[in-house]
Amino acid sequence: MTSSRILGEWVALLLATALLVFVAVQEGWTQRLDAKLLDETSHWRLSQPSGQIVLVEIDDRSLAQVGNWPWDRTLHADLLNKLSQVQSKMVVYDILFLEPTTAEIDDQLANAIANAENVVLAHSFAPRPGTQDQIAPALPLAKFQEGALGIGHVAVSPDEDGVVRRFSMNIEAQEQQWPHIALKTLGSVKGGETASGYNGLVPIVPMHSAGAFAKVSASDVLAGSTPAAVLQDKIVIVGATAQGLGDRYSVTSHAGRIMAGAEIQANLLHAMLAGEVVYPVSTSTTLAILLAVLAVLFVALWKLPPPWAWRVSLATILALIILSTILLVFFGLWLPVSSAILGILIAYPVWGWRRLSAVSRFLGAEAEKLTSGRPIDDDEAEGFDLVAKQVSVLKSLVGETRDRLSFLSKVLAISPDPMMVFGGDGQLMLLNHKAEALFGDGATRKGLTFSDLWRDAGAVLDGDKSELAFNDGSVFLVAMSEPGDNSTDRIYALRDVTSEREAADNRATMLEFLSHDMRSPQVAIVGLAAGTGLSLAEQERFERIEQQARRTLKLTDDFVQISRLEHNGITPVEADIGALLHEALDRAYPEARRKQIKLKNEIPEDPEFCDVDPLAISRALDNLLGNAIKFSDAETSVTLRLKRDDEQYIRIEISDEGPGLPEERLNNTYARFGAHDTRAGPSAGLGLAYVKRVVDEHGGTIRVKSDAASGTTFILSIPCAVPCVGQT
């Protein structure tokens, strides 16, 4: 399956899931699941009732003591009078008084309502005559309304599962808004406020369990046996709770499953007073949140490997439930999430099936590639289904490939040359130990191109010669394989040609040395010996011949010493460095005296014993002191110092007060046959090259500081571990 096809299926599944969630929210397909989650979490928002609300129940005991239902309205008038006597704060009368009785009896109840001045009466709704789906308010008698503090509806609209959870604060009928009885009560309790913040809302009310509110039997109130303190300054809700009166409704399991209408009104009024009402999140906001969560989940399904897909899907479902719970408990907002959960439960297996189909096709295609198009026999495959068989075949083929790759790795490992394998994208796949020594650890270099490798190593590639030169002077010839018919991989092999290049350079140097440096004094000797065209005295002529012969001898000796050092190395023995420096000063003294140059000695009296090659060190000191004397003017000084840098190194310094090294010599101080300073006579530059070689052979370092104002100082640091001082 191509990437574009997978992406297309991913987009299609995302859109289909989003459409499913949209329709499920709009049509309420998951209302029952959402209601279950709402019931399990909403009771966590409840607080203990404060005792502000008291139920006066027309219960079974009241019917038994006072008489069967319906009661005469004189009894209701008497009950209201009793509540007025104990100074109840508010009386919510959840009894419908729709039909007239006798004028005398109705007047008696109307007077009781008017005298109380705190009664809110209930009304309901009935079908509007002459219509099929319209309703009209069923109101109390006009004389009752005149004396009442207000009227409000007590209509109950259970959810789809028959459970009462929501309340319409206002119901429109006959082009008028009719408020709920709890809304009218709340406005009266708050000093005449209309509680307009609830207008147009259908809030959700978490229900307390039955018995959470204080209850008093109506018969006890009529008999005057209820203590006044129980009802004084309380909101009293009067309602029928006896069995068989029909005013009972289904509520959540946490509330006891069945509850009387008066107690339901008590829960609603308490929730409004205590701020425990829950408001549903708008449909548009709900859809925006759920679709955003789905989009994030689908991005995760696209990016994450299959083992993580089910974890992320499960985590998303849990996150939705937790989010819904937090919004409900702490913020009083209800976010139904079952539609999104339904979408996830459908989308995940579908996406997994599409992935499995893609894997199956991939396995089949790869197996065919590895067998070069050879069909696979059933005997080669093991497993109970197609995918298992494909995995079995591919596992066998991968094993063969792994063996071949292991063999290739072994071939690379034993190769004496650095070798690397690059993939079709030009990135490093394998390299042997020789290549690691050049470019670094293979684990950290994989994924880099060949250009990245040699640039990071500070090397320079000569494309014309196919040569790779490193900072340490090593040179490698680069060979590259051509990609095969079925592969774009390339193998790079580096052949070390450093010795060949050094030999070629040495041959060129030797020719330069023989043709120029050695030839010049020999030509001068021949010319002086022949004496042709010269007007020199015989003594002067022989002195010049001797001078040129000595120069030839010194060049030959310097060249031989460098060659011997390069081929044979050094032979370290324990020696006193201070003694070697004193001896070097003694050898330099005659020449220094002849040029009137003062030799200064800053060598400690205590011996410094180190493992060095005395002959090589002595010759290096002679070269440096000889140069310092040769290039210094009369009446100046040359200083030889010996110090200990630290516990591991000693430092030798040779300083003069001469004119300093010329700029071209400073740029390449230790080059053989390079730029030479001829101010004090002919020079081939072999002396400093020899000094550098001696220091390198001892594992030390050499630095030079030079300028016309302060002269030249050579600083040699030679390894010399403590203890050394005072050894004998």
Side-chain angles (χ1 to χ4, degrees), residues 203-276:
I204 300 169
V205 177
M207 298 286 182
H208 287 274
S209 59
F213 296 95
K215 297 179 180 180
V216 177
S217 177
S219 60
D220 292 339
V221 177
L222 289 170
S225 60
T226 302
V230 175
L231 301 171
Q232 186 178 13
D233 201 31
K234 299 295 187 340
I235 299 174
V236 176
I237 299 178
V238 180
T241 62
Q243 297 282 348
L245 297 186
D247 194 23
R248 302 174 72 84
Y249 303 91
S250 295
V251 292
T252 63
S253 59
H254 290 282
R257 297 190 181 278
I258 300 295
M259 184 175 289
E263 193 165 2
I264 290 176
Q265 305 302 339
N267 275 280
L268 171 58
L269 186 56
H270 167 76
M272 296 172 72
L273 290 170
E276 295 175 355

Coordinates of all heavy atoms in Angstrom, one line a residue, residues 203-276:
P203 N -31.8 23.0 33.6 CA -30.6 22.5 34.4 C -30.8 21.0 34.8 O -31.9 20.5 34.9 CB -30.6 23.4 35.6 CG -32.0 23.9 35.7 CD -32.5 24.0 34.3
I204 N -29.7 20.4 35.1 CA -29.7 19.1 35.7 C -29.5 19.2 37.2 O -28.7 20.0 37.7 CB -28.5 18.2 35.1 CG1 -28.7 18.1 33.6 CG2 -28.5 16.8 35.7 CD1 -27.5 17.6 32.9
V205 N -30.3 18.4 38.0 CA -30.3 18.5 39.4 C -29.8 17.2 40.0 O -30.5 16.2 39.9 CB -31.6 18.9 40.0 CG1 -31.6 18.9 41.5 CG2 -32.0 20.3 39.4
P206 N -28.6 17.1 40.6 CA -28.3 15.9 41.4 C -29.2 15.7 42.5 O -29.5 16.6 43.3 CB -26.8 16.2 41.9 CG -26.4 17.4 41.0 CD -27.6 18.2 40.7
M207 N -29.7 14.5 42.7 CA -30.7 14.2 43.7 C -30.1 13.6 45.0 O -29.3 12.6 44.9 CB -31.7 13.2 43.2 CG -32.5 13.7 42.0 SD -33.7 14.9 42.5 CE -34.5 15.3 40.9
H208 N -30.5 14.1 46.1 CA -30.1 13.5 47.4 C -30.9 12.2 47.6 O -32.0 12.0 47.0 CB -30.4 14.4 48.6 CG -29.4 15.6 48.7 ND1 -28.2 15.5 49.3 CD2 -29.5 16.8 48.1 CE1 -27.6 16.7 49.3 NE2 -28.4 17.5 48.5
S209 N -30.4 11.3 48.4 CA -31.1 10.1 48.7 C -32.3 10.4 49.5 O -32.4 11.4 50.2 CB -30.2 9.1 49.4 OG -29.7 9.7 50.6
A210 N -33.3 9.5 49.4 CA -34.6 9.8 50.1 C -34.3 9.9 51.6 O -33.5 9.1 52.2 CB -35.5 8.6 49.9
G211 N -35.0 10.9 52.2 CA -34.8 11.1 53.7 C -33.7 12.1 54.0 O -33.4 12.4 55.2
A212 N -33.1 12.7 53.0 CA -32.0 13.7 53.2 C -32.6 15.0 53.8 O -31.9 15.7 54.6 CB -31.2 14.0 51.9
F213 N -33.8 15.3 53.5 CA -34.5 16.5 54.0 C -35.4 16.2 55.2 O -36.0 15.1 55.2 CB -35.3 17.2 52.9 CG -34.5 17.7 51.7 CD1 -34.3 16.9 50.6 CD2 -33.8 18.9 51.7 CE1 -33.5 17.3 49.5 CE2 -33.1 19.3 50.7 CZ -32.9 18.5 49.6
A214 N -35.5 17.2 56.1 CA -36.3 17.0 57.3 C -37.8 16.9 56.8 O -38.3 17.6 55.9 CB -36.2 18.2 58.2
K215 N -38.5 15.9 57.4 CA -39.9 15.6 57.1 C -40.8 15.7 58.3 O -40.4 15.2 59.4 CB -40.0 14.2 56.4 CG -39.2 14.1 55.1 CD -39.3 12.7 54.5 CE -38.6 12.6 53.2 NZ -38.7 11.2 52.7
V216 N -42.0 16.2 58.1 CA -43.0 16.3 59.1 C -44.3 15.8 58.5 O -44.7 16.2 57.4 CB -43.2 17.7 59.7 CG1 -44.3 17.8 60.7 CG2 -41.9 18.2 60.2
S217 N -45.0 15.0 59.3 CA -46.3 14.5 58.8 C -47.4 15.6 58.9 O -47.4 16.3 59.9 CB -46.8 13.3 59.6 OG -48.1 12.8 59.2
A218 N -48.2 15.8 57.9 CA -49.2 16.8 57.9 C -50.2 16.6 59.0 O -50.7 17.6 59.6 CB -50.0 16.8 56.6
S219 N -50.5 15.4 59.4 CA -51.4 15.1 60.5 C -50.8 15.7 61.8 O -51.6 16.2 62.7 CB -51.6 13.6 60.7 OG -50.4 12.9 60.9
D220 N -49.5 15.6 62.0 CA -48.9 16.2 63.2 C -49.0 17.7 63.2 O -49.2 18.3 64.3 CB -47.4 15.8 63.3 CG -47.2 14.3 63.6 OD1 -48.2 13.6 64.0 OD2 -46.2 13.7 63.2
V221 N -48.8 18.3 62.1 CA -49.0 19.8 62.0 C -50.4 20.2 62.3 O -50.6 21.2 63.1 CB -48.5 20.3 60.7 CG1 -48.7 21.8 60.6 CG2 -47.1 20.0 60.4
L222 N -51.4 19.5 61.8 CA -52.8 19.8 62.0 C -53.1 19.6 63.5 O -53.9 20.3 64.1 CB -53.7 18.9 61.1 CG -53.7 19.3 59.6 CD1 -54.4 18.2 58.9 CD2 -54.3 20.6 59.4
A223 N -52.5 18.6 64.1 CA -52.8 18.3 65.5 C -52.1 19.2 66.4 O -52.3 19.2 67.7 CB -52.4 16.8 65.8
G224 N -51.1 20.0 65.9 CA -50.3 20.9 66.7 C -49.3 20.3 67.5 O -48.8 20.9 68.5
S225 N -48.9 19.0 67.2 CA -47.9 18.3 68.0 C -46.5 18.5 67.5 O -45.5 18.0 68.1 CB -48.2 16.8 67.9 OG -48.2 16.3 66.6
T226 N -46.3 19.2 66.3 CA -45.0 19.5 65.8 C -44.4 20.7 66.5 O -45.0 21.8 66.5 CB -45.0 19.7 64.3 OG1 -45.6 18.6 63.7 CG2 -43.6 20.0 63.7
P227 N -43.2 20.6 67.1 CA -42.5 21.7 67.7 C -42.4 22.9 66.7 O -42.1 22.7 65.6 CB -41.2 21.2 68.2 CG -41.3 19.7 68.3 CD -42.3 19.4 67.2
A228 N -42.7 24.1 67.2 CA -42.6 25.3 66.3 C -41.2 25.5 65.8 O -41.1 25.9 64.6 CB -43.1 26.5 67.1
A229 N -40.2 25.1 66.5 CA -38.8 25.3 66.0 C -38.5 24.5 64.8 O -37.6 24.9 64.0 CB -37.8 25.0 67.1
V230 N -39.2 23.4 64.5 CA -39.0 22.6 63.4 C -39.4 23.3 62.1 O -38.8 23.2 61.0 CB -39.7 21.3 63.5 CG1 -39.6 20.4 62.2 CG2 -39.2 20.5 64.7
L231 N -40.5 24.2 62.2 CA -41.0 24.8 61.0 C -40.7 26.3 60.9 O -40.9 26.9 59.9 CB -42.5 24.6 60.9 CG -43.0 23.1 60.9 CD1 -44.5 23.0 61.1 CD2 -42.5 22.5 59.6
Q232 N -40.3 26.9 62.1 CA -40.1 28.3 62.1 C -39.0 28.8 61.2 O -37.9 28.2 61.2 CB -39.9 28.8 63.6 CG -39.8 30.3 63.7 CD -39.6 30.6 65.2 OE1 -39.3 29.8 66.0 NE2 -39.8 31.9 65.5
D233 N -39.3 29.8 60.4 CA -38.3 30.4 59.5 C -37.7 29.4 58.5 O -36.5 29.5 58.1 CB -37.2 31.1 60.3 CG -36.4 32.1 59.5 OD1 -37.0 32.8 58.7 OD2 -35.2 32.3 59.8
K234 N -38.5 28.4 58.2 CA -38.1 27.4 57.2 C -38.9 27.5 55.9 O -40.0 28.1 55.9 CB -38.2 26.0 57.8 CG -37.4 25.7 59.0 CD -36.0 25.8 58.7 CE -35.1 25.3 59.9 NZ -35.5 25.3 61.2
I235 N -38.3 27.1 54.8 CA -39.1 26.9 53.6 C -39.8 25.6 53.7 O -39.1 24.5 53.7 CB -38.2 27.0 52.3 CG1 -37.4 28.3 52.3 CG2 -38.9 26.8 51.1 CD1 -36.4 28.4 51.2
V236 N -41.1 25.6 53.7 CA -41.9 24.4 53.9 C -42.5 24.1 52.6 O -43.1 24.9 51.9 CB -43.0 24.7 54.9 CG1 -43.9 23.4 55.0 CG2 -42.4 25.0 56.3
I237 N -42.3 22.8 52.2 CA -42.9 22.3 50.9 C -43.9 21.3 51.3 O -43.6 20.3 52.0 CB -41.8 21.6 50.0 CG1 -40.8 22.6 49.6 CG2 -42.5 21.0 48.8 CD1 -39.7 22.1 48.8
V238 N -45.2 21.6 51.0 CA -46.3 20.7 51.3 C -46.6 19.9 50.1 O -46.8 20.4 49.0 CB -47.5 21.5 51.7 CG1 -48.7 20.6 52.1 CG2 -47.2 22.4 52.9
G239 N -46.7 18.5 50.2 CA -47.0 17.7 49.1 C -47.4 16.3 49.5 O -47.2 15.9 50.6
A240 N -48.1 15.6 48.5 CA -48.6 14.3 48.8 C -47.5 13.2 48.6 O -46.9 13.2 47.5 CB -49.8 14.0 47.9
T241 N -47.2 12.4 49.6 CA -46.2 11.4 49.4 C -46.8 10.0 49.7 O -46.0 9.0 49.6 CB -45.1 11.7 50.4 OG1 -45.6 11.6 51.8 CG2 -44.4 13.0 50.2
A242 N -48.1 9.9 50.0 CA -48.7 8.6 50.3 C -48.7 7.7 49.1 O -48.7 8.2 48.0 CB -50.0 8.8 50.9
Q243 N -48.6 6.4 49.4 CA -48.7 5.4 48.3 C -50.1 5.5 47.6 O -51.1 5.7 48.3 CB -48.6 4.0 48.9 CG -47.2 3.7 49.6 CD -46.1 3.4 48.6 OE1 -46.4 3.2 47.4 NE2 -44.9 3.4 49.0
G244 N -50.0 5.4 46.3 CA -51.3 5.4 45.5 C -51.8 6.7 45.1 O -52.8 6.8 44.4
L245 N -51.2 7.8 45.5 CA -51.7 9.1 45.1 C -51.1 9.6 43.8 O -51.5 10.6 43.3 CB -51.3 10.2 46.2 CG -52.0 10.0 47.6 CD1 -51.7 11.2 48.5 CD2 -53.5 9.8 47.4
G246 N -50.1 8.8 43.3 CA -49.7 9.1 41.9 C -48.6 10.1 41.7 O -48.1 10.3 40.6
D247 N -48.2 10.8 42.8 CA -47.2 11.8 42.7 C -45.8 11.3 43.1 O -45.1 11.8 43.9 CB -47.6 13.0 43.6 CG -46.7 14.2 43.3 OD1 -46.3 14.3 42.1 OD2 -46.6 15.1 44.2
R248 N -45.4 10.2 42.3 CA -44.1 9.5 42.6 C -43.4 9.3 41.2 O -44.1 8.9 40.2 CB -44.3 8.2 43.3 CG -45.0 8.4 44.7 CD -45.3 7.1 45.3 NE -44.1 6.4 45.8 CZ -43.5 6.7 47.0 NH1 -44.1 7.6 47.8 NH2 -42.5 6.1 47.4
Y249 N -42.1 9.5 41.2 CA -41.4 9.5 39.9 C -40.1 8.7 40.1 O -39.5 8.5 41.2 CB -41.0 10.9 39.4 CG -42.2 11.7 39.3 CD1 -42.7 12.5 40.4 CD2 -43.0 11.8 38.1 CE1 -43.8 13.3 40.2 CE2 -44.1 12.6 38.0 CZ -44.5 13.3 39.0 OH -45.6 14.1 38.9
S250 N -39.6 8.2 38.9 CA -38.3 7.5 38.9 C -37.1 8.5 39.0 O -37.1 9.5 38.3 CB -38.1 6.7 37.6 OG -39.1 5.6 37.6
V251 N -36.2 8.2 39.9 CA -35.0 9.0 40.0 C -33.8 8.0 40.0 O -33.9 6.8 39.8 CB -35.0 9.8 41.4 CG1 -36.1 10.8 41.4 CG2 -35.2 8.8 42.6
T252 N -32.6 8.6 40.1 CA -31.4 7.8 40.0 C -31.2 6.8 41.1 O -31.9 6.9 42.2 CB -30.1 8.7 40.0 OG1 -30.0 9.3 41.3 CG2 -30.2 9.7 38.9
S253 N -30.4 5.8 40.9 CA -30.3 4.7 41.9 C -29.6 5.2 43.1 O -29.9 4.8 44.2 CB -29.4 3.6 41.3 OG -28.1 4.1 40.9
H254 N -28.8 6.2 43.0 CA -28.1 6.8 44.2 C -29.2 7.6 45.1 O -29.0 7.8 46.2 CB -27.0 7.8 43.8 CG -25.8 7.1 43.2 ND1 -24.9 6.4 44.0 CD2 -25.4 6.9 41.9 CE1 -24.0 5.9 43.2 NE2 -24.3 6.2 42.0
A255 N -30.3 8.0 44.4 CA -31.3 8.7 45.2 C -32.4 7.8 45.7 O -33.4 8.3 46.3 CB -31.9 9.8 44.3
G256 N -32.4 6.5 45.3 CA -33.3 5.6 45.8 C -34.3 5.0 44.8 O -35.3 4.3 45.1
R257 N -34.2 5.5 43.5 CA -34.9 5.0 42.4 C -36.4 5.6 42.3 O -36.8 5.9 41.2 CB -35.0 3.5 42.3 CG -33.6 2.8 42.1 CD -33.7 1.3 41.8 NE -32.4 0.8 41.7 CZ -31.6 0.8 40.6 NH1 -32.1 1.4 39.5 NH2 -30.4 0.3 40.6
I258 N -37.1 5.7 43.4 CA -38.4 6.2 43.4 C -38.5 7.4 44.4 O -38.0 7.3 45.5 CB -39.5 5.2 43.8 CG1 -39.5 4.0 42.8 CG2 -40.9 5.8 43.8 CD1 -39.9 4.4 41.4
M259 N -39.1 8.5 44.0 CA -39.2 9.7 44.9 C -40.4 10.4 44.6 O -40.9 10.6 43.5 CB -38.0 10.6 44.7 CG -37.8 11.8 45.6 SD -36.3 12.7 45.4 CE -35.1 11.5 46.1
A260 N -41.1 11.0 45.7 CA -42.3 11.7 45.6 C -42.0 13.1 45.0 O -40.9 13.6 45.1 CB -42.9 11.9 47.0
G261 N -43.0 13.7 44.3 CA -42.8 14.9 43.7 C -42.4 16.1 44.6 O -41.6 16.9 44.2
A262 N -43.0 16.1 45.8 CA -42.6 17.2 46.8 C -41.1 17.1 47.1 O -40.4 18.1 47.2 CB -43.5 17.1 48.0
E263 N -40.6 15.9 47.3 CA -39.2 15.7 47.6 C -38.3 16.1 46.4 O -37.2 16.6 46.6 CB -38.9 14.3 48.1 CG -37.5 14.2 48.8 CD -37.4 12.9 49.6 OE1 -38.3 12.1 49.6 OE2 -36.3 12.7 50.2
I264 N -38.8 15.8 45.2 CA -38.0 16.2 44.0 C -37.9 17.7 44.0 O -36.9 18.3 43.7 CB -38.7 15.7 42.8 CG1 -38.5 14.1 42.7 CG2 -38.1 16.3 41.5 CD1 -39.2 13.5 41.5
Q265 N -39.1 18.4 44.3 CA -39.0 19.9 44.3 C -38.1 20.4 45.4 O -37.4 21.4 45.2 CB -40.5 20.4 44.6 CG -41.5 20.0 43.6 CD -41.2 20.3 42.1 OE1 -40.4 21.2 41.9 NE2 -41.8 19.5 41.2
A266 N -38.0 19.7 46.5 CA -37.1 20.1 47.6 C -35.6 19.9 47.1 O -34.8 20.8 47.4 CB -37.3 19.2 48.8
N267 N -35.3 18.9 46.3 CA -33.9 18.7 45.8 C -33.6 19.9 44.8 O -32.5 20.4 44.8 CB -33.8 17.4 45.0 CG -33.5 16.2 46.0 OD1 -32.3 16.0 46.3 ND2 -34.5 15.5 46.4
L268 N -34.6 20.2 43.9 CA -34.4 21.3 43.0 C -34.1 22.6 43.7 O -33.2 23.3 43.4 CB -35.6 21.4 42.0 CG -35.6 22.6 41.1 CD1 -34.4 22.6 40.2 CD2 -36.9 22.6 40.2
L269 N -35.0 22.9 44.7 CA -34.8 24.2 45.4 C -33.5 24.3 46.1 O -32.8 25.3 46.1 CB -36.0 24.4 46.3 CG -36.1 25.8 47.0 CD1 -36.1 26.9 46.0 CD2 -37.4 25.8 47.9
H270 N -33.1 23.2 46.8 CA -31.9 23.1 47.5 C -30.7 23.3 46.6 O -29.7 24.1 46.9 CB -31.7 21.8 48.3 CG -30.3 21.6 48.8 ND1 -29.8 22.2 49.9 CD2 -29.3 20.8 48.3 CE1 -28.6 21.8 50.1 NE2 -28.2 21.0 49.1
A271 N -30.7 22.7 45.4 CA -29.6 22.8 44.4 C -29.5 24.2 43.9 O -28.4 24.7 43.8 CB -29.9 21.9 43.2
M272 N -30.6 24.9 43.7 CA -30.6 26.3 43.3 C -30.0 27.2 44.4 O -29.2 28.1 44.1 CB -32.0 26.8 42.9 CG -32.5 26.0 41.6 SD -34.2 26.4 41.3 CE -34.1 28.0 40.6
L273 N -30.4 26.9 45.7 CA -29.9 27.8 46.8 C -28.4 27.5 47.1 O -27.7 28.4 47.4 CB -30.8 27.5 48.0 CG -32.2 28.0 48.0 CD1 -33.0 27.4 49.2 CD2 -32.2 29.5 48.0
A274 N -28.0 26.2 46.9 CA -26.6 25.8 47.3 C -25.7 25.9 46.1 O -24.5 25.7 46.3 CB -26.6 24.4 47.9
G275 N -26.2 26.3 44.9 CA -25.3 26.4 43.8 C -24.8 25.0 43.3 O -23.7 24.9 42.7
E276 N -25.7 24.0 43.4 CA -25.3 22.6 43.0 C -26.0 22.2 41.6 O -25.9 21.1 41.2 CB -25.7 21.6 44.0 CG -24.9 21.8 45.3 CD -25.4 20.9 46.4 OE1 -26.4 20.2 46.2 OE2 -24.8 20.8 47.5

